Amino acid sequence: MKHRKQHLMKWLSLLPLGLILFLSGCSELTVLDPKGPVAQNQKDLIMFSIIFMLLIVIVVFVLFTYMVVKYRDRPGRGNKDYDPSLHGNTRLEILWTIIPLIIIVILSVPNVQTLYELEKPPESTSNKDPLVIYATSADWKWFFSYPEQDIETVNYLHIPTDRAIEFRMSSADSMQALWIPALGGQKYTMAGMETKLYLQADEPGMYKGRNSNFNGEGFTEQTFEVHAESEEAFSDWVNESQNEAPDLTQDKYDELLKPGLLNEMTFSSTHLQWVNHGTMADKDYAIKRHREAYKELLHLENGKEDGNNEH
Amino acid sequence: MQLDEFFVTGEPLIYGAMVSIALVTAAIIFILTYFKKWGWLWREWLTTVDHKKIGIMYIISALAMLFRGGMDALMMRIQLAFPGMNFLNAQHYDEVFTTHGTVMIIFMAMPFLIGLMNIVVPLQIGARDVAFPYLNAVSFWSFFFGAMLFNISFVIGGSPDAGWTSYTPLAGAAMSPGPGQNFYLLGLQLSGIGTLATGINFMVTILKMRAPGMKMFQMPIFSWSTLVTSFIIVFAFPILTVALALMTIDRIFGSQFFTLTGEGMPMMWTNLFWMWGHPEVYIVVLPAFGIFSEIISTFARKQLFGYKAMVWSMIVIAGLSFLVWVHHFFTMGMGAFVNSVFSISTMLIAVPTGVKIFNWLGTLYKGRIQLTTPMLWSLAFIPSFVIGGVTGVMLGMAATDYQYHNSYFLVAHFHYVLIAGTVFACFAGLVYWYPKMFGHKLNERIGKWSLWFFVIGFHVCFFPQYFVGLDGMPRRVFTIIPEWMPLNVISTVGAFGMGMGFAIFVYNIYYSLRYNEREKSGDSWDGRTLEWATPTPVPFYNFATVPHVEGLDAYLIMKEKGQTTFDEANLKPIHMPSNTGQPFIMMSIMFVASFGLVFEWLWMAIAGLIGVIVMMAFRSFDYNDGFYVKVDEIKRTERSARGL
Amino acid sequence: MSAHELKSGPLEYRSSQGRMNILGFWIFLAAEIVLFSTLFATYAVLFGRTANAPTPGELFEPSTVLVMTFLLLISSFTCGIAVHEMRRGSVKGLITWLIITLVLGLGFLGFEIYEFIHYTHEGVTLQSSAYWSSFFILTGTHGLHVTLGIGWAILLLIQLAKRGLTPVTSRKVFIISLYWHFLDVIWIFIFTSVYLIGMVV
């Protein structure tokens, strides 16, 4: 018995060590390695909740181990500590109702606070107006329209650091979601309505973004790159694009909308001049033009067919 | 339509499956014919209205579906561990995860639990059958044919590929043309009707047919969980019925509910689906809680700790389950207020669930814990489910859910609750009640091997997925970037461990049938509730004399007083329902009608529906009132069963 | 199951199987309420989404709907009388009033079919828009229920003529009366929330 207990203690002592390993490993995970205030905010809340959750897990695991080890029916135990008529305890019931309730209240307060904060541009850069980008998803690609700069990109994004980005998001066809884990959580894009998402990068770098809501065959490859760069580098890119990229014509845009995969592209005008998929009137714009195209498969395999797998 | 459009062609895996289906069918037909078992199959099984046999058929079908869903899972895991091999292409992968999810929830978890309910609940409450035995057979056959309909999509017409949630507009006629999605809609519709009928049936059974003296708060906890589940079924399934019907009408008759054209509203599907879908989660987890409670109490050799708290927590969970559906799509942009409300209601569910966890621990306290296989499954459940539960709270926090949503963090969470909750419970319950069903226990040693393979495999498979999710890996992708490879390979290893556990479990069924000793008494585990008061095999009328119940753990009290359910002095003729082939025939016609609708052959659908109506009219004129079992026959049966 | 037969009280409640069937049917009606609530919710969500099709205000005819409402309300009343006759033990009275109920129900159906055909001529169908889809499915589901109820009641009439009043037939009559009243209640909701509001807005 004693031997068994020592054995158990040895294993239990490994627990904190495991925790340290676990937490240090976590810092490399994209969501827990935020590159902007929104993701930072969410990471802080995640870590805050994990503390309470670990607390609960540890309490239950310790109690569980204690019960199973101590009250196991082993030879020679007899009727010591055996009480078959023990059927409940009101005080305990109240205790283990109240404590979780308290934990939930503690978690709810920052949760609700953060929810409201996420609906506004981050406060750290409230002195600057957010950069407005219309993000339009279509099977299976992304269009990013910069109305102020009059630029439209396909499957990549340039953003200035230390400035809030206001995504006005909609979808040309199926429901999709814009997710850049390093910069913050996702939101759906839908045809016929506009959703708003505020993100911001604090560090320059290249981040991965993608559609995270399943929408058919090309879903896996519906990714894009986010280039976060200083305000100067951003305006250089803007100037370059305005000067060198071709205009986006409606015919060209309609062709691009056709379900399929696309490479990165740049245009020096936006599709917003003739269609905004976020409005009820333009909800069926893509489906009217490409209804027949959905009947065909891409025959998409890993490493073949996919132009932008490396992103 | 050409024949090569009708059958799925061009996939070596599917050709293999076609061949094996043909071989297995031929083998079954051959065996039945060779041993002259067709009459036996019809008389004893296809026409039965006996709740115990219906339960067994449910469980066998569910095990077959577990195999199918499990194969899907292994195929996905192979693809994700070796994406370069191109084992599955994108389209095929989409089909596989769609059928995996649908099969596991609708055709595995629910029928498995309903099967256990069928076998156990009437016995536990001291009834001779369910309230409506005929309807019970209808329920089973509607599930069975629904499952068949869904599964043949594999080789005929093409599988659905829009995810088990089938979000519109993706799943609509424009973006998912062809019969695949129709298979999903009609397979679910057909089996959903049966589930609704089961809900009504068990509610009436439990409310009206309890043994004399059994008060509501003296009912075994599994029966309580069945009652609460039945309430959820009755109030949730009609929503699914409507949602499926609307999408079917959209796809086949061109209405505009969920379309992008005609000002339709695709997001309404998401809402309707989860208004059913969230309660559905509790439909598959509350009976699991009931099973664990029974087993833990039996093998801790103690009364359940906090019985009333356990019952009330289930009722609270059932109520809350209808108020949280929005948490499945916090990211739809409903604004901070709506998300806050649903976030808090979601987290509140953790409170009654926590109460249950602590009460199970309380049951272990000062017990004398026997580590039998069913008990080990139940003990494995507690820590595993707690991990699933706390990550559920994390997902319930809407502000952070934006980062977890649609990622492998979510995948890990719901597998942690559904496997540790439901699947462990199915195995635990099957092993626990196996002697009652088949007259012998499953081998304990092999059972423990299967358990350890499955439980360890489960953690190895799903624990890494929390981390790969936090690293930004979304669900439903068919190929991955190198950073995610190591954890995915570990996952795949775990998945094969689980597959191994299942294989050993199935082998155990064969092994135990051949070598395990037969049960002599009906009370295999020194049980506490009335199902153990019946002899094994259980006579078709269950109880020769229905006991008078005086408290919780009724059979324990009877044993103390030396009472049995065979009181020779007080035998009376027993009224029992007659077998009938009508449910089987009616639902096979319904199958034909649904099949017609899948391919939009309206003549076939209409002909089938007329057939079903004729069968219903036929039933209306059917005044067969069953028969009486004579006292002599009862005496003979009981004496031989009890070895008197 | 035979142990709990009662000697007095309404015929349909005397056997325990009768009591269980009636309770089961009440639960079924609860499920039906959920079903119709979902359809009403769908209707409410899609209200106003008429796209290019005419609006309900342009098409609804108060007089037709009013006639339909009265037909169904009266049929619910006559169905009550039928059950009252059954309680009195009069098979003849029961059959007579049940037939009157069915005729009224058929009248209701006739008007509903007329209404649908009329709308189709005005260029409005199930496919026209989200609003009209939800309109036709909501009212159509109710209409389908009425149709099934009529078919079911005809089967019962044959059984009543053949067997007279027994615990089984009386239970069946009682259950179909519950069903019929339920359809009436649903119609009242359709009348107010679909037709009245549709005509005003």
Side-chain angles (χ1 to χ4, degrees), chain B residues 80-138:
Chain B
L80 289 181
F82 310 104
M85 224 170 74
N86 281 319
F87 179 64
L88 302 175
N89 67 20
Q91 174 61 24
H92 201 170
Y93 189 87
D94 297 346
E95 292 173 8
V96 170
F97 73 67
T98 301
T99 52
H100 168 76
T102 316
V103 163
M104 285 300 200
I105 294 280
I106 307 282
F107 302 123
M108 192 288 286
M110 232 178 2
F112 208 128
L113 293 166
I114 289 177
L116 290 171
M117 287 176 192
N118 257 293
I119 293 162
V120 177
V121 168
L123 292 172
Q124 271 196 336
I125 61 171
R128 288 194 167 122
D129 207 320
V130 293
F132 313 116
Y134 179 97
L135 187 67
N136 202 21
V138 171

Coordinates of all heavy atoms in Angstrom, one line a residue, chain B residues 80-138:
Chain B
L80 N -4.6 12.4 -43.7 CA -4.0 13.5 -43.0 C -2.6 13.2 -42.5 O -1.7 14.1 -42.3 CB -4.8 14.0 -41.8 CG -6.1 14.7 -42.2 CD1 -6.9 15.2 -41.0 CD2 -5.8 15.9 -43.2
A81 N -2.3 11.9 -42.3 CA -0.9 11.6 -41.9 C 0.0 11.5 -43.1 O 1.2 11.7 -42.9 CB -0.9 10.3 -41.1
F82 N -0.5 11.1 -44.2 CA 0.3 11.0 -45.4 C -0.4 11.8 -46.6 O -0.8 11.1 -47.5 CB 0.4 9.5 -45.8 CG 0.9 8.6 -44.7 CD1 -0.1 7.8 -44.0 CD2 2.2 8.6 -44.3 CE1 0.3 7.0 -43.0 CE2 2.6 7.8 -43.2 CZ 1.7 7.0 -42.6
P83 N -0.5 13.1 -46.4 CA -1.2 13.8 -47.5 C -0.5 13.7 -48.8 O -1.2 13.7 -49.8 CB -1.1 15.3 -47.0 CG -0.1 15.3 -45.9 CD 0.1 13.9 -45.4
G84 N 0.8 13.4 -48.9 CA 1.5 13.3 -50.1 C 1.0 12.1 -50.9 O 1.3 12.0 -52.1
M85 N 0.5 11.1 -50.2 CA 0.1 9.9 -50.9 C -1.1 10.0 -51.7 O -1.4 9.2 -52.6 CB -0.2 8.8 -49.8 CG 0.4 7.5 -50.0 SD 0.2 6.5 -48.5 CE -1.5 6.1 -48.5
N86 N -1.9 11.1 -51.5 CA -3.1 11.3 -52.2 C -4.1 10.1 -52.1 O -4.7 9.7 -53.1 CB -2.9 11.7 -53.7 CG -2.5 13.1 -53.8 OD1 -3.0 14.0 -53.2 ND2 -1.5 13.4 -54.7
F87 N -4.2 9.6 -50.9 CA -5.1 8.5 -50.7 C -6.5 8.9 -51.0 O -7.3 8.2 -51.6 CB -4.9 8.1 -49.2 CG -5.8 7.0 -48.8 CD1 -5.7 5.7 -49.3 CD2 -6.8 7.2 -47.8 CE1 -6.5 4.7 -48.9 CE2 -7.6 6.2 -47.4 CZ -7.4 4.9 -47.9
L88 N -6.9 10.1 -50.5 CA -8.2 10.6 -50.9 C -8.0 12.0 -51.5 O -7.2 12.8 -51.1 CB -9.0 10.9 -49.6 CG -9.3 9.7 -48.7 CD1 -10.1 10.2 -47.4 CD2 -10.2 8.7 -49.4
N89 N -8.7 12.3 -52.6 CA -8.7 13.6 -53.1 C -9.7 14.5 -52.4 O -10.4 14.0 -51.5 CB -8.9 13.6 -54.6 CG -10.3 13.2 -55.0 OD1 -11.2 13.3 -54.2 ND2 -10.4 12.8 -56.3
A90 N -9.7 15.8 -52.7 CA -10.5 16.7 -51.9 C -12.0 16.3 -51.9 O -12.6 16.3 -50.8 CB -10.4 18.1 -52.5
Q91 N -12.5 16.0 -53.1 CA -13.9 15.6 -53.1 C -14.2 14.4 -52.3 O -15.2 14.3 -51.5 CB -14.3 15.4 -54.6 CG -15.7 14.9 -54.8 CD -16.8 15.8 -54.3 OE1 -16.5 17.0 -54.2 NE2 -17.9 15.4 -54.0
H92 N -13.4 13.4 -52.4 CA -13.6 12.1 -51.7 C -13.5 12.4 -50.2 O -14.3 11.9 -49.4 CB -12.6 11.1 -52.2 CG -13.0 9.7 -51.9 ND1 -12.4 8.6 -52.4 CD2 -14.1 9.2 -51.1 CE1 -13.0 7.5 -51.9 NE2 -14.0 7.9 -51.2
Y93 N -12.5 13.2 -49.8 CA -12.4 13.5 -48.4 C -13.6 14.2 -47.9 O -14.1 13.9 -46.8 CB -11.2 14.4 -48.2 CG -10.8 14.6 -46.8 CD1 -10.0 13.8 -46.1 CD2 -11.3 15.7 -46.0 CE1 -9.6 13.9 -44.8 CE2 -11.0 15.9 -44.7 CZ -10.1 15.0 -44.1 OH -9.8 15.2 -42.8
D94 N -14.2 15.1 -48.7 CA -15.4 15.8 -48.2 C -16.5 14.8 -48.0 O -17.3 14.9 -47.0 CB -15.9 16.8 -49.3 CG -14.8 17.9 -49.5 OD1 -14.0 18.1 -48.6 OD2 -14.9 18.7 -50.5
E95 N -16.7 13.9 -48.9 CA -17.7 12.9 -48.7 C -17.5 12.0 -47.5 O -18.4 11.7 -46.7 CB -17.7 11.9 -50.0 CG -18.2 12.7 -51.2 CD -18.1 11.8 -52.5 OE1 -17.8 10.6 -52.3 OE2 -18.3 12.3 -53.6
V96 N -16.2 11.7 -47.2 CA -15.9 10.8 -46.1 C -16.2 11.5 -44.8 O -16.8 10.9 -43.9 CB -14.5 10.3 -46.2 CG1 -14.1 9.6 -44.9 CG2 -14.3 9.4 -47.4
F97 N -15.8 12.8 -44.6 CA -16.1 13.4 -43.3 C -17.6 13.7 -43.2 O -18.1 13.7 -42.0 CB -15.2 14.6 -43.0 CG -15.5 15.9 -43.8 CD1 -16.7 16.6 -43.6 CD2 -14.5 16.4 -44.7 CE1 -16.9 17.8 -44.3 CE2 -14.8 17.6 -45.3 CZ -16.0 18.2 -45.1
T98 N -18.3 13.9 -44.3 CA -19.7 14.1 -44.2 C -20.4 12.9 -43.7 O -21.2 12.9 -42.7 CB -20.3 14.5 -45.5 OG1 -19.7 15.7 -46.0 CG2 -21.8 14.8 -45.5
T99 N -20.1 11.7 -44.3 CA -20.8 10.5 -43.9 C -20.3 10.1 -42.5 O -21.1 9.6 -41.7 CB -20.5 9.4 -44.9 OG1 -19.1 9.3 -45.1 CG2 -21.2 9.7 -46.2
H100 N -19.0 10.3 -42.2 CA -18.5 10.0 -40.8 C -19.4 10.7 -39.8 O -19.9 10.0 -38.9 CB -17.1 10.4 -40.7 CG -16.5 10.3 -39.3 ND1 -16.2 9.2 -38.7 CD2 -16.3 11.3 -38.4 CE1 -15.8 9.4 -37.4 NE2 -15.9 10.7 -37.2
G101 N -19.5 12.0 -39.9 CA -20.3 12.7 -38.9 C -21.7 12.3 -38.8 O -22.3 12.0 -37.8
T102 N -22.4 12.2 -40.0 CA -23.8 11.8 -40.0 C -24.0 10.4 -39.5 O -24.9 10.2 -38.6 CB -24.3 11.9 -41.5 OG1 -23.8 13.1 -42.0 CG2 -25.8 11.9 -41.5
V103 N -23.2 9.5 -39.9 CA -23.4 8.1 -39.5 C -23.2 8.0 -38.0 O -24.0 7.4 -37.3 CB -22.4 7.2 -40.3 CG1 -22.3 5.8 -39.6 CG2 -22.9 7.0 -41.7
M104 N -22.1 8.6 -37.5 CA -21.8 8.5 -36.1 C -22.9 9.0 -35.2 O -23.3 8.4 -34.2 CB -20.5 9.1 -35.8 CG -19.3 8.3 -36.3 SD -19.2 6.7 -35.6 CE -17.5 6.2 -35.8
I105 N -23.4 10.2 -35.5 CA -24.4 10.8 -34.7 C -25.8 10.2 -34.8 O -26.4 9.7 -33.9 CB -24.6 12.3 -35.0 CG1 -23.3 13.0 -34.6 CG2 -25.7 12.9 -34.2 CD1 -23.1 13.3 -33.1
I106 N -26.2 10.1 -36.1 CA -27.6 9.7 -36.4 C -27.8 8.2 -36.4 O -28.8 7.7 -35.9 CB -28.1 10.3 -37.7 CG1 -27.8 11.8 -37.8 CG2 -29.6 10.0 -38.0 CD1 -28.8 12.7 -37.0
F107 N -26.8 7.5 -37.0 CA -27.1 6.1 -37.2 C -26.2 5.2 -36.3 O -26.3 4.0 -36.3 CB -26.8 5.7 -38.7 CG -27.6 6.5 -39.6 CD1 -27.1 7.3 -40.6 CD2 -29.0 6.5 -39.5 CE1 -27.8 8.0 -41.5 CE2 -29.8 7.2 -40.4 CZ -29.2 8.0 -41.4
M108 N -25.3 5.8 -35.4 CA -24.6 5.0 -34.5 C -25.0 5.4 -33.1 O -25.6 4.6 -32.4 CB -23.1 5.2 -34.7 CG -22.2 4.2 -34.0 SD -22.1 4.4 -32.2 CE -21.1 5.8 -32.1
A109 N -24.7 6.6 -32.6 CA -24.9 7.0 -31.2 C -26.3 6.8 -30.8 O -26.6 6.2 -29.8 CB -24.4 8.4 -31.0
M110 N -27.2 7.5 -31.6 CA -28.6 7.5 -31.1 C -29.2 6.1 -31.1 O -29.8 5.6 -30.1 CB -29.4 8.4 -32.0 CG -30.2 9.4 -31.1 SD -31.1 10.6 -32.0 CE -30.9 10.3 -33.7
P111 N -29.1 5.3 -32.2 CA -29.7 3.9 -32.2 C -29.0 3.0 -31.2 O -29.7 2.2 -30.6 CB -29.4 3.4 -33.6 CG -28.7 4.4 -34.3 CD -28.6 5.7 -33.6
F112 N -27.7 3.2 -30.9 CA -27.1 2.4 -29.9 C -27.8 2.6 -28.6 O -28.2 1.7 -27.8 CB -25.6 2.7 -29.8 CG -24.7 1.6 -29.4 CD1 -23.6 1.2 -30.1 CD2 -25.0 0.9 -28.2 CE1 -22.8 0.2 -29.7 CE2 -24.2 -0.2 -27.8 CZ -23.1 -0.5 -28.5
L113 N -27.9 3.9 -28.2 CA -28.5 4.2 -26.9 C -30.0 3.9 -26.9 O -30.5 3.3 -25.9 CB -28.4 5.7 -26.7 CG -26.9 6.2 -26.4 CD1 -26.8 7.7 -26.5 CD2 -26.4 5.6 -25.1
I114 N -30.7 4.1 -28.0 CA -32.1 3.7 -28.1 C -32.2 2.2 -27.9 O -33.2 1.7 -27.3 CB -32.8 4.2 -29.4 CG1 -32.9 5.8 -29.3 CG2 -34.1 3.6 -29.6 CD1 -33.5 6.4 -30.5
G115 N -31.3 1.5 -28.5 CA -31.3 0.0 -28.3 C -31.1 -0.4 -26.9 O -31.9 -1.2 -26.4
L116 N -30.2 0.3 -26.2 CA -30.1 0.0 -24.8 C -31.3 0.3 -24.0 O -31.8 -0.4 -23.1 CB -28.8 0.7 -24.2 CG -27.5 0.1 -24.7 CD1 -26.3 1.0 -24.2 CD2 -27.3 -1.3 -24.2
M117 N -31.9 1.5 -24.3 CA -33.2 1.9 -23.7 C -34.2 0.8 -23.9 O -34.9 0.5 -23.0 CB -33.7 3.2 -24.3 CG -32.9 4.4 -23.9 SD -33.7 5.8 -24.9 CE -32.5 7.0 -24.7
N118 N -34.3 0.4 -25.1 CA -35.3 -0.6 -25.4 C -35.2 -1.9 -24.6 O -36.2 -2.4 -24.1 CB -35.2 -1.0 -26.9 CG -36.3 -0.3 -27.7 OD1 -37.5 -0.6 -27.6 ND2 -35.9 0.6 -28.6
I119 N -34.0 -2.3 -24.5 CA -33.8 -3.6 -23.7 C -34.0 -3.3 -22.2 O -34.6 -4.1 -21.6 CB -32.3 -4.1 -24.0 CG1 -32.2 -4.5 -25.4 CG2 -32.0 -5.2 -23.0 CD1 -30.8 -4.6 -25.9
V120 N -33.5 -2.2 -21.7 CA -33.4 -2.1 -20.3 C -34.6 -1.4 -19.6 O -35.0 -1.8 -18.6 CB -32.1 -1.3 -19.9 CG1 -32.0 -1.1 -18.5 CG2 -30.9 -2.1 -20.5
V121 N -35.1 -0.3 -20.3 CA -36.0 0.5 -19.5 C -37.3 -0.3 -19.1 O -37.7 -0.2 -18.0 CB -36.4 1.8 -20.3 CG1 -37.6 2.5 -19.8 CG2 -35.2 2.7 -20.3
P122 N -38.0 -1.0 -20.0 CA -39.1 -1.7 -19.5 C -38.8 -2.7 -18.4 O -39.6 -2.8 -17.5 CB -39.6 -2.5 -20.8 CG -39.1 -1.7 -21.9 CD -37.8 -1.2 -21.5
L123 N -37.6 -3.3 -18.5 CA -37.2 -4.2 -17.4 C -37.0 -3.5 -16.1 O -37.4 -3.9 -15.0 CB -36.0 -5.0 -17.8 CG -36.1 -6.0 -18.9 CD1 -34.7 -6.5 -19.3 CD2 -37.0 -7.1 -18.5
Q124 N -36.4 -2.3 -16.2 CA -36.0 -1.5 -15.0 C -37.3 -1.0 -14.3 O -37.3 -0.9 -13.1 CB -35.2 -0.3 -15.4 CG -33.7 -0.6 -15.4 CD -32.8 0.6 -15.4 OE1 -33.3 1.7 -15.8 NE2 -31.6 0.5 -14.9
I125 N -38.3 -0.7 -15.1 CA -39.5 -0.1 -14.4 C -40.5 -1.2 -14.1 O -41.6 -0.9 -13.7 CB -40.1 1.0 -15.2 CG1 -40.6 0.6 -16.6 CG2 -39.1 2.2 -15.3 CD1 -41.4 1.6 -17.3
G126 N -40.2 -2.4 -14.4 CA -41.1 -3.5 -14.1 C -42.3 -3.6 -15.1 O -43.4 -3.9 -14.7
A127 N -42.1 -3.3 -16.4 CA -43.1 -3.4 -17.4 C -42.9 -4.6 -18.3 O -41.8 -5.2 -18.3 CB -43.2 -2.1 -18.2
R128 N -44.0 -5.0 -19.0 CA -43.9 -6.2 -19.8 C -43.5 -5.9 -21.2 O -43.2 -6.7 -22.0 CB -45.2 -7.0 -19.7 CG -45.3 -7.7 -18.4 CD -46.4 -8.7 -18.3 NE -46.2 -9.5 -17.1 CZ -47.1 -9.6 -16.2 NH1 -48.3 -9.0 -16.4 NH2 -46.9 -10.3 -15.1
D129 N -43.7 -4.7 -21.6 CA -43.2 -4.2 -22.9 C -43.3 -2.7 -22.9 O -43.6 -2.1 -21.8 CB -44.0 -4.8 -24.1 CG -43.1 -4.8 -25.4 OD1 -42.4 -3.9 -25.6 OD2 -43.2 -5.8 -26.1
V130 N -43.0 -2.0 -24.0 CA -43.2 -0.6 -24.1 C -44.7 -0.3 -24.2 O -45.5 -1.2 -24.5 CB -42.4 0.1 -25.2 CG1 -40.9 0.0 -24.9 CG2 -42.7 -0.6 -26.5
A131 N -45.1 1.0 -24.2 CA -46.5 1.3 -24.3 C -47.1 0.9 -25.6 O -48.2 0.4 -25.7 CB -46.7 2.8 -24.0
F132 N -46.3 1.1 -26.7 CA -46.8 0.9 -28.0 C -45.8 0.0 -28.8 O -45.0 0.5 -29.5 CB -47.0 2.2 -28.8 CG -47.8 3.2 -28.0 CD1 -47.1 4.4 -27.6 CD2 -49.1 3.0 -27.6 CE1 -47.8 5.4 -26.9 CE2 -49.8 4.0 -26.9 CZ -49.1 5.2 -26.5
P133 N -46.0 -1.3 -28.6 CA -45.0 -2.2 -29.2 C -45.0 -2.2 -30.7 O -43.9 -2.2 -31.3 CB -45.4 -3.6 -28.7 CG -46.3 -3.4 -27.6 CD -46.9 -2.0 -27.8
Y134 N -46.1 -2.0 -31.3 CA -46.2 -1.9 -32.8 C -45.4 -0.7 -33.2 O -44.6 -0.8 -34.2 CB -47.7 -1.8 -33.2 CG -47.9 -1.7 -34.7 CD1 -48.2 -2.8 -35.4 CD2 -47.9 -0.5 -35.3 CE1 -48.5 -2.7 -36.8 CE2 -48.2 -0.4 -36.6 CZ -48.5 -1.5 -37.4 OH -48.7 -1.4 -38.7
L135 N -45.7 0.4 -32.6 CA -45.0 1.7 -32.9 C -43.5 1.5 -32.8 O -42.7 2.1 -33.5 CB -45.5 2.8 -32.1 CG -45.1 4.2 -32.4 CD1 -45.6 4.6 -33.8 CD2 -45.5 5.2 -31.4
N136 N -43.1 0.8 -31.8 CA -41.7 0.5 -31.5 C -41.0 -0.2 -32.7 O -39.9 0.2 -33.1 CB -41.6 -0.3 -30.2 CG -40.2 -0.2 -29.6 OD1 -39.5 0.8 -29.8 ND2 -39.8 -1.1 -28.8
A137 N -41.7 -1.2 -33.2 CA -41.2 -1.8 -34.4 C -41.1 -0.9 -35.6 O -40.2 -0.9 -36.3 CB -42.1 -3.0 -34.7
V138 N -42.2 0.0 -35.7 CA -42.1 1.0 -36.8 C -40.9 1.9 -36.6 O -40.2 2.1 -37.6 CB -43.4 1.8 -36.8 CG1 -43.3 3.0 -37.7 CG2 -44.6 1.0 -37.1

